Amino acid sequence: MSKEIPITSPHGRRAGAESLAGLLILLLGLLLAPPAHAAPFSDQVQALHTSSSADKAAAVKALGATGHPRAQKVLQAMLDGRLFHQVDGGTVVFAEKGGDGYQYRLTDAATGSDLGTAERWGVRRVKINNRLRSEVRQTLAALRLQNPEPEARLTAAEDLIGELDPDNTALVERRLTEESDPAVRAALEAAVGLARLDREDPQARAGAIALLDGSLYAPVRSRLETLAEEDPAPEVRKEAAAMLDGIHTRLAFFDGAETLFFGLSLGSVLMLAAMGLAITFGVMGVINMAHGELIMIGAYTTYVVQQLMPGHIGWSLAVAIPAAFLVSGAFGVAMERSVIRFLYGRPLETLLATFGISLILQQLVRSVFTALNRPVETPAWMSGSLQINPAFSLTFNRLYILIFALAVFFALLLVLKRTSLGLKIRAVTQNRQMARALGVRSNWVDALTFGLGSGIAGVAGVALSQLTNVGPNLGQAYIVDSFLVVVLGGVGNLWGTLVGGLSLGVINKLLEPMAGAVLAKVLLLGLIILFIQRRPRGLFPQRGRAAEG
Amino acid sequence: MRKGRIGKALAALVATVGLTAGVAHAEKDPIKVGVLHSLSGTMAISETTLKDTMLMLIEEQNEQGGLLGRKLKPVVVDPASDWPLFAEKARELLAKKKVDVIFGSWTSVSRKSVLPVVEELNGLMFYPVQYEGEESSENIFYTGAAPNQQSVPAVDYLMNEVGVERWVLEGTDYVFPRTTNKILKQYLVDHGVAEADIRINYTPFGHSDWQSEVSRIKEFGSQGKKTAVVSTINGDANVPFYKELANQDVSAEDIPVIAMSVGEQELSGIDTEPLVGHMAAWNYFMSVPTKRNIQFIRQWHDHIGDKGRVTNDPMEAHYLGFNMWVKAVQQAGTTDVDAVKDAIIGVSVPNLTGGIATMMPNHHITKPVLIGEIQPDGQFSVVWETPGTVAGDAWSDYLPGSKDLIADWRNPLSCGNYNVETGECSGQNVE
């Protein structure tokens, strides 16, 4: 409130009615100002320097009540861990790490004036724990309910659900009359409804339940559950139970949708990992144990690209995708030219040779990048989640990877079906002699095919770098899954990889709630064994003479 | 007869020459310090740092003139995260390289495989990582936390200060989480928590697909009672776990996660902005601003040549173990294992975060217990600590069968699992 009061008006020189009005507002403001205002703002900031959490919580509340323009700043700094106090004197300050990393640059928190630098041990952080943090967040939320951005208002409103005390209920109710954004309205209604459930009058409680209509917020549901069982008034119990029924039906639907999404996203990861293998193993028949390491190289390429373009994390993935394709593809071509081409038709020898290569590649990465995992940053647009409603949200990283996996799949399909390289690949794999007789340079096609499969593995590595750790062992974690998907889908069939990968993901997610992550994997392996017993050639068996051989 | 006398004299001569040569040898010979940490494989991420720490401590000691007038010489081997290889390399260190002491190991399974070897060859080993307890060996010194110095106080904090009533015990599927969770579950049930309010879940090593588990934790925590997750997830599975927590918007105010093996090192690869307020229970945090700690950090940065590198709890445990060993050798005046073993009990050295660590007769040390909340910069801010130090307990007070056991390696008891009820010492190390 007090921040509205123009103590020293910039337009002070204007005479007449305006200044009179200003004076009136000033007087009115002084009358309405809370008594806490009597203490200067700097004293209130200083009150945050106390070891008692209760005193600190009170100081936070008081700071919020001042409405001082710097109050939000101070509270936010406290939340961010940037609020310190000096060991000598105890002044509450903002502290930023200075040049050499051991010194701090200090600014007075209350006034913003520069206080020079201090040694690391010259300042102590104003301690904040989770309880205080939620206190600060609520205070900030109340200050921010007026924010012009609906998204900011929504988080502010959500922070207040189940946390309203009589002081700010009135504030939220007032806000509710002005709010036009439906999502923010729903959150505010849930907050107000929950607060009104504490009222004595059963009529008022029943009315409050109506306000909660179908709300999917978790605190609403748990509160309704206790209400349906324990409320003294039977009509309130009935009302709560009826409302709960509706909520449960909606929740069950969204639970199902969530499981499906989790399954598809796990499936898309499996599919990405397996797609390169669908070419090298499925099409060429090479049991490539180094496939996982080609994925790993793609992930490391992402890391290197990010190192090369600091400050452009958002764009780094767009650069990393072609880069990883080229790097892993080059490794693939080199492998094919140096080792694999001598071993065509001898699957066991290829298996051993590529296993050796996989170990060499792992060691190579260890020597170049050390054995430690490399931090690959997630761009802002891939963090967080797409909130459909309070009970259902899609995490962006998984969502984008699902879309990406499908895009890679169709691109690969196009290459194989619509380009001359694809035609040659299919010709060589179906009948090498005939293809050669027709003038196809089969050696060259072999190398390119292997390179294509390896490049796709590299692209998968870019996606995986966003989900898992980029380290020398990354490849091993995915090699078994990749072979499973290809074998299940039917060797030599790209559609099989799509269907196999996605269905493995979904089945895994259906089993997981019942059996836990460890057992679900075991069960899944058992199911696959049974399936392969019945259909040894997978979901989409290859037909024709080539397959019989 | 005559022949025999000559033989005896010859033997005596040889023996004398050999002995004096031996003494002369010993005076200029360095003291060998075995460093047994994985430099490759899954554990390399954590263990290479400890190898570097040990090298730094040895270097510093040598700059100060060594020990007993002799230089220290590190003997580094790589057991490659392969548990049986730990036993082999320990044997190599003791039998072939003749090291005077071993600092090493991280996972409990590697320690368990080294244990019979150091006992057989009467070696001396310092183990620097928090663990599940239920063990005490004459030859091993546990400088990391036992459960009563980490997980039990952490649960106490959540119960008393945060008011948690519903618990998710989330762990990686192997011995440390399973034993810890067994102790914690018993502890919670003893404190009146209903079985329905405890959810235990295990995931494999390196698990990266956390979406449904995190969603179930959210569901479990939305039942109206304050819920917390006690995490014994180990190794690099933590990174995707925390990323998923952030993506699914599980905030520390709603459902705090308290981790038993996530430190500064593990957080250094993650964007910690959305994880602020999640917690860890350790006996050391890099952020504690004591002068001694800041000097240690500077020394570490100078040694490693990288100001971005963090320090962590097992590094402090090595620091304490090394200093205790140095003191004990100085007191004993020799590196002889039996003499050092006796001398080290009661030895005290200052902690990096203040207070004093003392070696107890059960080969565990006293430590302060700190609870820290994750800050935006990937560091922890201490929100709670025990008023004094806590002595490590080899045998849990909460598990049936282990409540009655005590370990005391002083004479005349000299036993790792003395049963106070029956008055017997079973002589077995493991359960």
Side-chain angles (χ1 to χ4, degrees):
Chain A
M1 273 168 277
S2 55
K3 75 174 168 193
E4 315 289 345
I5 305 166
I7 303 274
T8 48
S9 166
H11 311 294
R13 266 165 294 170
R14 280 192 223 159
E18 266 182 298
S19 70
L20 194 66
L23 194 68
L24 270 177
I25 291 171
L26 180 68
L27 281 174
L28 206 64
L30 284 177
L31 282 175
L32 289 177
H37 195 246
F41 181 67
S42 62
D43 284 0
Q44 296 202 315
V45 172
Q46 204 51 45
L48 290 173
H49 171 34
T50 162
S51 53
S52 145
S53 325
D55 290 354
K56 222 182 268 181
V60 166
K61 268 212 168 124
L63 209 56
T66 61
H68 193 279
R70 286 186 70 83
Q72 244 193 63
K73 215 171 166 185
V74 172
L75 290 176
Q76 189 61 48
M78 189 170 169
L79 210 54
D80 297 344
R82 286 182 291 113
L83 203 62
F84 286 68
H85 64 84
Q86 286 177 307
V87 173
D88 296 334
T91 313
V92 175
V93 293
F94 294 151
E96 305 286 347
K97 230 173 219 174
D100 76 341
Y102 301 108
Q103 289 206 320
Y104 279 86
R105 226 188 344 271
L106 310 182
T107 338
D108 191 307
T111 62
S113 61
D114 188 17
L115 293 179
T117 59
E119 286 291 322
R120 176 65 188 86
W121 51 79
V123 285
R124 295 277 155 87
R125 189 169 270 141
V126 171
K127 282 190 182 166
I128 175 167
N129 57 24
N130 282 323
R131 202 181 283 182
L132 269 170
R133 202 171 280 123
S134 76
E135 189 73 50
V136 173
R137 198 155 277 175
Q138 280 157 42
T139 308
L140 276 174
L143 290 173
R144 280 180 187 155
L145 269 185
Q146 311 295 333
N147 198 302
E149 292 294 319
E151 263 174 52
R153 290 203 305 277
L154 182 61
T155 18
E158 283 180 340
D159 279 342
L160 292 171
I161 293 176
E163 310 282 355
L164 284 189
D165 48 34
D167 297 348
N168 45 21
T169 309
L171 177 97
V172 174
E173 279 171 341
R174 213 167 40 242
R175 181 67 226 172
L176 189 54
T177 55
E178 301 159 11
E179 186 56 60
S180 55
D181 186 273
V184 183
R185 263 197 89 83
L188 290 174
E189 278 174 353
V192 171
L194 272 185
R196 285 188 190 160
L197 283 179
D198 292 331
R199 295 197 176 167
E200 287 287 324
D201 177 18
Q203 212 63 41
R205 288 206 297 278
I209 292 178
L211 205 54
L212 297 172
D213 186 18
S215 173
L216 293 174
Y217 286 104
V220 171
R221 183 161 41 105
S222 60
R223 189 63 212 276
L224 282 177
E225 267 160 10
T226 38
L227 219 55
E229 279 168 20
E230 291 165 10
D231 196 89
E235 72 267 27
V236 174
R237 285 205 298 273
K238 225 174 96 192
E239 191 100 9
M243 186 64 76
L244 261 181
D245 269 350
I247 291 178
H248 279 154
T249 325
R250 292 186 65 196
L251 273 182
F253 171 76
F254 287 117
D255 268 356
E258 192 186 60
T259 308
L260 183 70
F261 173 69
F262 287 169
L264 287 179
S265 72
L266 174 62
S268 69
V269 171
L270 294 177
M271 190 179 119
L272 264 177
M275 243 182 299
L277 202 67
I279 309 252
T280 53
F281 176 54
V283 177
M284 301 179 76
V286 175
I287 298 180
N288 181 15
M289 295 299 283
H291 177 73
E293 277 61 41
L294 293 167
I295 297 178
M296 171 191 79
I297 288 170
Y300 272 99
T301 309
T302 318
Y303 166 71
V304 172
V305 167
Q306 286 196 346
Q307 292 308 104
L308 291 180
M309 43 192 294
H312 299 90
I313 298 302
W315 287 102
S316 62
L317 292 189
V319 180
I321 291 168
F325 182 84
L326 291 177
V327 174
S328 287
F331 268 94
V333 171
M335 262 168 72
E336 203 275 345
R337 286 290 90 187
S338 58
V339 177
I340 291 170
R341 68 169 163 144
F342 303 112
L343 299 171
Y344 281 121
R346 289 150 68 186
L348 286 181
E349 279 93 328
T350 345
L351 188 149
L352 287 178
T354 51
F355 183 66
I357 294 175
S358 83
L359 294 180
I360 292 170
L361 289 179
Q362 279 177 39
Q363 202 51 49
L364 180 77
V365 159
R366 264 190 211 112
S367 317
V368 177
F369 296 98
T370 78
L372 301 181
N373 289 344
R374 294 289 103 186
V376 172
E377 284 183 60
T378 306
W381 52 270
M382 271 187 93
S383 315
S385 50
L386 177 65
Q387 197 83 30
I388 311 281
N389 62 40
F392 183 50
S393 58
L394 308 174
T395 44
F396 279 126
N397 59 351
R398 301 275 176 172
L399 188 64
Y400 285 123
I401 285 172
L402 179 60
I403 295 168
F404 180 65
L406 292 175
V408 173
F409 174 81
F410 285 108
L412 193 58
L413 207 61
L414 274 182
V415 169
L416 286 183
K417 293 273 153 85
R418 290 274 185 275
T419 65
S420 76
L421 174 68
L423 185 70
K424 285 173 187 159
I425 289 173
R426 283 180 291 143
V428 170
T429 50
Q430 275 174 23
N431 194 329
R432 179 175 297 262
Q433 305 304 330
M434 184 70 81
R436 290 183 72 156
L438 291 171
V440 176
R441 293 166 60 191
S442 69
N443 280 342
W444 183 78
V445 171
D446 282 338
L448 280 189
T449 316
F450 203 83
L452 178 67
S454 307
I456 300 284
V459 169
V462 179
L464 287 182
S465 73
Q466 296 299 316
L467 294 180
T468 184
N469 290 291
V470 177
N473 301 313
L474 188 151
Q476 288 175 333
Y478 287 93
I479 183 80
V480 175
D481 286 339
S482 306
F483 272 104
L484 271 185
V485 170
V486 175
V487 170
L488 179 72
V491 172
N493 191 310
L494 214 50
W495 284 101
T497 309
L498 177 82
V499 177
L502 292 183
S503 50
L504 269 187
V506 174
I507 294 171
N508 194 331
K509 285 298 161 188
L510 288 176
L511 288 175
E512 222 185 276
M514 291 177 260
V518 183
L519 206 56
K521 259 209 153 120
V522 176
L523 282 176
L524 195 66
L525 271 175
L527 283 179
I528 290 176
I529 291 172
L530 286 180
F531 179 81
I532 297 289
Q533 288 286 321
R534 301 298 299 267
R535 300 188 59 160
R537 286 175 187 278
L539 283 170
F540 295 86
Q542 240 183 4
R543 276 179 276 274
R545 231 175 1 176
E548 304 304 320
Chain B
M1 268 293 147
R2 198 183 156 77
K3 211 171 152 188
R5 228 186 293 157
I6 290 178
K8 256 186 201 162
L10 263 178
L13 189 71
V14 168
T16 332
V17 170
L19 210 64
T20 43
V23 170
H25 212 53
E27 268 167 1
K28 55 180 191 250
D29 251 16
I31 297 174
K32 288 185 182 168
V33 179
V35 183
L36 181 67
H37 280 301
S38 301
L39 311 179
S40 52
T42 32
M43 291 313 295
I45 175 177
S46 311
E47 291 195 65
T48 30
T49 307
L50 291 190
K51 184 254 317 175
D52 291 332
T53 308
M54 202 32 78
L55 294 185
M56 173 180 89
L57 292 169
I58 291 171
E59 191 184 286
E60 188 197 14
Q61 190 67 33
N62 281 337
E63 276 166 17
Q64 291 170 4
L67 187 54
L68 305 179
R70 293 157 68 185
K71 289 278 173 208
L72 297 181
K73 184 183 161 209
V75 182
V76 179
V77 289
D78 176 17
S81 310
D82 177 1
W83 321 136
L85 199 57
F86 266 91
E88 267 175 55
K89 290 287 176 187
R91 186 173 292 279
E92 181 187 322
L93 282 175
L94 290 170
K96 237 199 250 157
K97 305 272 175 70
K98 304 275 183 215
V99 298
D100 297 282
V101 61
I102 296 175
F103 289 88
S105 201
W106 180 294
T107 62
S108 286
V109 46
S110 67
R111 186 192 66 250
K112 296 248 186 228
S113 74
V114 169
L115 190 145
V117 177
V118 288
E119 288 196 342
E120 179 198 328
L121 302 175
N122 195 24
L124 207 57
M125 167 150 150
F126 287 80
Y127 173 71
V129 184
Q130 39 72 259
Y131 81 122
E132 67 281 1
E134 306 299 295
E135 186 183 295
S136 181
S137 163
E138 191 177 357
N139 299 79
I140 297 184
F141 293 85
Y142 305 82
T143 52
N148 75 316
Q149 292 172 309
Q150 194 194 24
S151 45
V152 172
V155 163
D156 268 337
Y157 169 76
L158 290 175
M159 217 160 8
N160 303 330
E161 310 278 324
V162 187
V164 173
E165 298 170 298
R166 221 166 143 77
W167 304 82
V168 182
L169 307 181
E170 187 76 50
T172 301
D173 202 2
Y174 81 111
V175 52
F176 163 65
R178 281 196 179 264
T179 312
T180 305
N181 287 344
K182 203 159 77 179
I183 295 173
L184 290 184
K185 187 179 174 194
Q186 191 60 49
Y187 186 76
L188 289 173
V189 169
D190 289 352
H191 284 74
V193 177
E195 295 249 351
D197 285 336
I198 305 174
R199 169 186 160 78
I200 302 185
N201 184 62
Y202 294 104
T203 41
F205 263 110
H207 189 63
S208 66
D209 185 54
W210 284 101
Q211 28 178 3
S212 28
E213 183 51 27
V214 168
S215 147
R216 249 169 294 138
I217 290 172
K218 265 169 91 175
E219 171 67 28
F220 190 78
S222 69
Q223 313 287 322
K225 287 184 182 169
K226 180 74 185 171
T227 306
V229 180
V230 180
S231 157
T232 39
I233 300 166
N234 237 44
D236 49 15
N238 275 302
V239 178
F241 175 62
Y242 281 109
K243 272 191 182 171
E244 192 65 30
L245 282 179
N247 282 341
Q248 292 198 26
D249 208 17
V250 179
S251 82
E253 290 116 70
D254 302 333
I255 307 179
V257 176
I258 190 160
M260 298 299 137
S261 64
V262 171
E264 291 84 350
Q265 171 101 51
E266 286 75 14
L267 288 182
S268 61
I270 323 180
D271 172 22
T272 47
E273 203 83 41
L275 301 178
V276 169
H278 287 304
M279 293 175 272
W282 286 106
N283 312 97
Y284 167 87
F285 286 114
M286 184 180 183
S287 65
V288 177
T290 60
K291 216 161 187 173
R292 193 178 283 276
N293 186 29
I294 289 159
Q295 279 162 358
F296 180 77
I297 295 168
R298 279 200 172 182
Q299 188 193 353
W300 170 242
H301 286 171
D302 290 344
H303 177 81
I304 210 81
D306 178 0
K307 276 188 181 169
R309 283 289 285 274
V310 292
T311 56
N312 62 12
D313 180 279
M315 285 173 70
E316 194 216 17
H318 254 350
Y319 168 87
L320 296 175
F322 182 81
N323 287 341
M324 283 180 169
W325 173 75
V326 166
K327 244 182 162 175
V329 169
Q330 279 164 346
Q331 270 176 28
T334 167
T335 58
D336 175 69
V337 169
D338 288 321
V340 174
K341 233 159 44 183
D342 288 339
I344 201 168
I345 290 175
V347 160
S348 295
V349 297
N351 288 313
L352 288 175
T353 59
I356 300 288
T358 307
M359 180 61 76
M360 306 304 286
N362 64 358
H363 286 188
H364 290 63
I365 68 173
T366 58
K367 306 190 122 201
V369 184
L370 313 176
I371 297 199
E373 287 183 2
I374 298 177
Q375 299 299 303
D377 58 0
Q379 288 288 325
F380 290 88
S381 142
V382 176
V383 290
W384 183 84
E385 58 189 293
T386 47
T389 53
V390 179
D393 198 356
W395 301 96
S396 172
D397 290 341
Y398 309 104
L399 288 184
S402 126
K403 294 197 251 244
D404 301 329
L405 299 180
I406 57 160
D408 189 332
W409 290 105
R410 288 172 304 186
N411 282 326
L413 193 57
S414 197
C415 170
N417 52 3
Y418 180 77
N419 191 318
V420 287
E421 287 293 308
T422 61
E424 277 172 11
C425 174
S426 86
Q428 297 286 317
N429 271 305
V430 192
E431 301 177 58

